[in-house]
Amino acid sequence: MTDTSLPSITASRHPLLWPLLASLLIIGWSSGFVGIRYANKEASVMLLLFWRTLLSGLILLPFALAIGPGISMRAVRDQALFGIMAVFLYLGGFALAIEQKVPTGLVALIADLLPLAIAVLSQPVLGERLTARQWLGTAIAVIGVLIVSFDSLGFGTAPVWAYALTVGSMLIFAVASVLHRKRKTLHMPVHQSLCIQTLMGSVLFGLCALTQGSLIPPMTRDFAVGMIWLVLIATFLAYAVYYTSLRLFPVAKVSAAIYLSPPVTMLWAWMLFSEPLTFAMFVGLVVTLVGVWMTSRT
């Protein structure tokens, strides 16, 4: 993931820029559940991820070729490497863990602890120190996530390596995020880098899906709705806003917004699938909001 960093003064001139980007990031990040809920009824997770990444890459390809600087082989190599980390290993690792019967609530909790891992890595790698207030906000946000996720937590009977896989997938994305912020030697617009990353992911997901059967998608309405949702919102919106935010703001501040993903996911489930909301979810949402505000406040 390369960097086309905008001048830092850009963010300071637009006080509403971060709230806007954070809101879009939370919407995109939490919406992946919705697309999977629709599309996973009749397709394996690997087949679903193959078509999600393939369609995303193919849609972006003409724009990547026509708009922006020429793409060198070095840039393709670097973006493909980050695609392996941030797309294939991150998404695929959690998908494989769920298939191995790791409880979904536990997988989601570990995934949502991503900002904590990024906060820990940002100081030694980037030199971005968190203040005492930001560490306190991080702790409060983690408590809020635990409150929201408590009812769905369980340990299940999956093999030990599957639990380790969930932690490893989260840490890999944390490392990729920090490297994205640090690496400024190549200059590539987000639509070009995301195109290469998703196409790289589609190749690897396609190989995995082939071991389970055919690559032909189910021709159903739910699968189509799920794909549209996953491509447009969970991929284009979430990844594009995330990468753009990393170029404008400290990585720990950007990642802190992800703490709000669990409670917003609960709202998605309530609005679209009539899943019940509990008092604990609202308490967790308020606690998480306080933590994210403390972590993100300049």
Side-chain angles (χ1 to χ4, degrees), residues 34-43 48 218-230 273:
V34 179
I36 292 175
R37 180 75 174 263
Y38 277 113
N40 195 34
K41 294 178 180 178
E42 302 173 38
L48 183 156
M219 300 299 180
T220 64
R221 175 185 173 277
D222 283 348
F223 187 83
V225 170
M227 278 297 107
I228 293 172
W229 197 288
L230 287 171
F273 306 112

Side-chain angles (χ1 to χ4, degrees), residues 16-169:
L16 296 179
L17 179 59
W18 170 240
L20 174 62
L21 290 176
S23 299
L24 293 175
L25 176 60
I26 295 164
I27 291 172
W29 208 269
S30 62
S31 68
F33 156 81
V34 179
I36 292 175
R37 180 75 174 263
Y38 277 113
N40 195 34
K41 294 178 180 178
E42 302 173 38
S44 69
V45 176
M46 288 300 169
L47 183 63
L48 183 156
L49 291 174
F50 164 69
W51 281 104
R52 170 184 175 176
T53 51
L54 179 63
L55 291 174
S56 299
L58 292 178
I59 291 172
L60 289 173
L61 185 58
F63 300 99
L65 295 175
I67 304 173
I71 303 176
S72 66
M73 289 306 299
R74 181 186 177 189
V76 172
R77 179 200 64 196
D78 286 0
Q79 297 301 332
L81 175 61
F82 281 109
I84 293 173
M85 296 173 65
V87 177
F88 177 68
L89 293 178
Y90 177 63
L91 297 177
F94 287 117
L96 182 58
I98 292 174
E99 285 191 338
Q100 291 295 318
K101 307 304 181 184
V102 177
T104 305
L106 183 60
V107 172
L109 174 62
I110 294 173
D112 293 323
L113 293 180
L114 170 68
L116 180 60
I118 291 177
V120 173
L121 289 172
S122 62
Q123 180 171 332
V125 178
L126 301 175
E128 296 181 358
R129 286 180 172 272
L130 269 68
T131 65
R133 186 198 73 245
Q134 289 176 310
W135 279 117
L136 177 60
T138 297
I140 292 174
V142 171
I143 292 173
V145 171
L146 289 172
I147 293 173
V148 172
S149 307
F150 183 78
D151 288 340
S152 61
L153 289 181
F155 288 97
T157 58
V160 174
W161 64 264
Y163 295 96
L165 183 63
T166 60
V167 178
S169 299

Side-chain angles (χ1 to χ4, degrees), residues 57-71 188-196 199:
L58 292 178
I59 291 172
L60 289 173
L61 185 58
F63 300 99
L65 295 175
I67 304 173
I71 303 176
M188 177 176 286
V190 171
H191 69 282
Q192 290 182 326
S193 60
L194 188 55
C195 174
I196 297 171
L199 288 178

